[in-house]
DNA sequence: CCGATTAATATGTCTATACATAATTCCATG
DNA sequence: CATGGAATTATGTATAGACATATTAATCGG
């Protein structure tokens, strides 16, 4: 059942975790220095450093030079949400992926997107992704033509912008927001539901360094939810079986 | 404006990142081995390892023994969402935090929570958190008394279970889900809105090893949204200024 | 008593080397 | 040709030692 007892830096990580949990080291407590722990565990300081650094990245420890390492007061739990490409998300769930482009036009973006894309004309796309024929998510996207001029000649009728952009205009960083909204008339019709129905929405902006690439709103069909785990020290992708 | 050019493993990370982005190393490409890169950059292999491991943890590289390191086909963007204590979340936004316990009872949990907490009696709490007097979120919680017997004698009238549990029953791991829901009649009244209004909901289960601690549903007032960043290689807490 | 300088210290990082481990490749054998 | 196993190889981890850096603590001068 339980695998073999971990060796090396993971063993140290587990022991430190145990002490935090057992309240040997309560929140706020300054734990022994790396040198002391290395002596106690009979290993090199670098090994202790590896273990403590991982715990600090996970938010359980706070480390500062000279001040030492202390147990975090507020164990800020971080949930790591994976945002896959829509096609993969659907196919991974074992459904048949469907895509249809609903609108493709050049226009000055409205107030929201304009604030990030600028006033110049941008490419506006509306598309519907479906799973096993059932509507899954409505994609409402604005693409900056100054940042991605190649988008001007891309048809987006077979391959969604969601995938095309990843291949032709990778982003360096982005911003994402999750919210609950009421389905508009048009969204409701596309999603085969009633106007005003609560729907899960993702609003995302992606950048290439300082240039905004695209602003997209994803309106998911009712019932959609995002799952994630928190805490699990074995944040290993393989562990998510 | 831009700080000094990074030295050490971060410089290597930046250069690798640049090559990925510049398509010198397109998605799927197997990049040179650590030994080669170490020679090229004139540093130790451990330094290259540090840089590549960080990029792999960020999801941009896929590493396998013997097979080598390749640029990820699907740059699975991970958004790290921080889940603070509600009081902190409100106070950090500069608002006055308010809390009121609405209900506290012992009862067998309904179907949903029962699946994780078991059939035995559990503590049921309903509470409202407010910001500057305005309703912020409704907390609907079930606490396992077999896992946390001390909860039986806690009043929860001044300190919310949200905070009490962190202090007296820390969790090892958990599961969290985000969704959009229609406000029920009672929720709508508490949140000063109309029934059926779309509201953002968080459902969370936390565990202490194999024993479930609590199941909680947080129903946020309309307009609530969760923000996060993706990609940003400087996932340093201090950078979030 | 306060402020500026200096010393002390814990973490951060790098190096060189070594061995461990997983996976692929290749080859001998049936 | 299939197949089992050994050689190969790239990453994973550990080590001791060294220097860098950020901060706190101590010390000195006014």
């Amino acid at each position: 059942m339980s695998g073999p007892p971990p060796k090396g830096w993971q063993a140290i990580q587990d022991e430190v975790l145990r002490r935090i949990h057992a309240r040997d080291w309560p929140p706020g407590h300054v734990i022994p220095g790396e040198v002391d722990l290395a002596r106690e565990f009979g290993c090199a300081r670098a090994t202790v450093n590896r273990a403590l650094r991982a715990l600090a990245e996970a938010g359980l420890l706070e480390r500062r030079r000279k001040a030492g390492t202390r147990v975090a007061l507020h164990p800020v739990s971080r949930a790591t949400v994976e945002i896959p490409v829509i096609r993969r998300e659907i196919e991974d769930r074992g459904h048949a992926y469907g895509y249809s482009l609903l609108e493709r036009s050049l226009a000055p973006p409205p107030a929201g997107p304009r604030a990030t894309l600028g006033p110049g004309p941008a490419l506006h796309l509306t598309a519907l992704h479906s799973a096993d024929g059932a509507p899954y998510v409505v994609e409402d996207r604005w693409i900056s033509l100054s940042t991605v001029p190649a988008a001007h000649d891309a048809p987006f009728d077979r391959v969604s912008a969601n995938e095309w952009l990843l291949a032709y205009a990778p982003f360096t960083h982005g911003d994402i927001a999750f919210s609950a909204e009421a389905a508009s008339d048009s969204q409701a019709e596309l999603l085969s539901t009633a106007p005003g129905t609560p729907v899960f929405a993702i609003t995302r902006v992606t950048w290439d360094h300082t240039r905004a690439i695209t602003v997209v709103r994803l309106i998911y069909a009712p019932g959609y939810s995002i799952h994630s785990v928190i805490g699990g020290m074995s944040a290993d992708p393989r562990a998510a079986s």
Side-chain angles (χ1 to χ4, degrees), chain A residues 16 22 36-38 44 57 70 105 144 149 151 157 170 196 199 211 233 236:
Chain A
V16 171
D36 299 311
L37 289 176
E57 281 170 9
R70 66 172 49 203
S105 63
S144 164
D157 56 345
V199 287
R211 306 166 67 85
M233 264 307 77
D236 188 275

Side-chain angles (χ1 to χ4, degrees), chain A residues 1-50:
Chain A
M1 189 66 74
S2 61
K7 300 286 182 183
W9 69 270
Q10 295 206 27
I12 297 178
Q13 180 174 5
D14 286 355
E15 173 58 17
V16 171
L17 256 176
R18 192 194 64 73
R19 292 184 188 179
I20 293 175
H21 249 92
R23 290 284 194 254
D24 293 344
W25 295 340
H29 180 81
V30 176
I31 77 175
E34 294 185 348
V35 184
D36 299 311
L37 289 176
R39 198 173 23 237
E40 180 192 339
F41 292 124
C43 67
R45 186 171 79 92
T47 309
V48 174
N49 184 292
R50 181 91 163 78

Side-chain angles (χ1 to χ4, degrees), chain A residues 98-110:
Chain A
Y99 167 77
S100 64
L101 179 65
L102 303 173
E103 191 208 322
R104 185 188 188 286
S105 63
L106 241 66

Side-chain angles (χ1 to χ4, degrees), chain A residues 109-118 142 215:
Chain A
R114 190 192 309 144
T116 52
L117 295 179
W142 291 87
V215 178

Side-chain angles (χ1 to χ4, degrees), chain A residues 8-225:
Chain A
W9 69 270
Q10 295 206 27
I12 297 178
Q13 180 174 5
D14 286 355
E15 173 58 17
V16 171
L17 256 176
R18 192 194 64 73
R19 292 184 188 179
I20 293 175
H21 249 92
R23 290 284 194 254
D24 293 344
W25 295 340
H29 180 81
V30 176
I31 77 175
E34 294 185 348
V35 184
D36 299 311
L37 289 176
R39 198 173 23 237
E40 180 192 339
F41 292 124
C43 67
R45 186 171 79 92
T47 309
V48 174
N49 184 292
R50 181 91 163 78
L52 297 188
R53 181 157 41 83
L55 287 172
E57 281 170 9
L60 278 120
L61 294 178
E62 291 172 2
R63 318 196 73 194
R64 270 166 52 222
R65 278 169 168 158
K66 165 73 179 178
T69 302
R70 66 172 49 203
V71 180
L73 276 319
H74 304 282
V76 182
S77 42
R78 299 184 185 139
T80 306
V81 180
E82 306 227 336
I83 321 262
V85 175
I86 296 172
R87 181 172 59 77
R88 271 186 71 86
E89 179 179 353
I90 291 175
E91 289 177 348
D92 285 354
R93 297 189 182 189
H95 299 139
Y97 173 69
Y99 167 77
S100 64
L101 179 65
L102 303 173
E103 191 208 322
R104 185 188 188 286
S105 63
L106 241 66
R114 190 192 309 144
T116 52
L117 295 179
L123 187 61
H124 183 214
L125 301 174
T126 310
L128 177 67
H129 303 259
S130 60
D132 282 342
Y136 189 82
V137 60
V138 175
E139 176 180 356
D140 186 341
R141 182 185 295 271
W142 291 87
I143 300 175
S144 164
L145 286 177
S146 59
T147 307
V148 195
H152 185 278
D153 301 316
F156 297 116
D157 56 345
R158 310 292 296 171
V159 175
S160 77
N162 188 263
E163 288 182 69
W164 188 91
L165 285 170
L166 276 183
Y168 294 95
F171 59 88
T172 56
H173 63 288
D175 185 288
I176 192 166
F178 308 103
S179 59
E181 318 242 331
S184 71
D185 290 2
S186 58
Q187 290 162 355
E189 187 183 339
L190 292 171
L191 296 174
S192 310
T193 187
T197 303
V199 287
F200 192 85
I202 294 181
T203 307
R204 186 171 39 183
V205 182
T206 54
W207 306 76
D208 180 12
H209 296 96
T210 59
R211 306 166 67 85
I213 296 175
T214 183
V215 178
V216 62
R217 275 178 72 73
L218 299 171
I219 308 291
Y220 286 83
Y224 182 81
S225 69

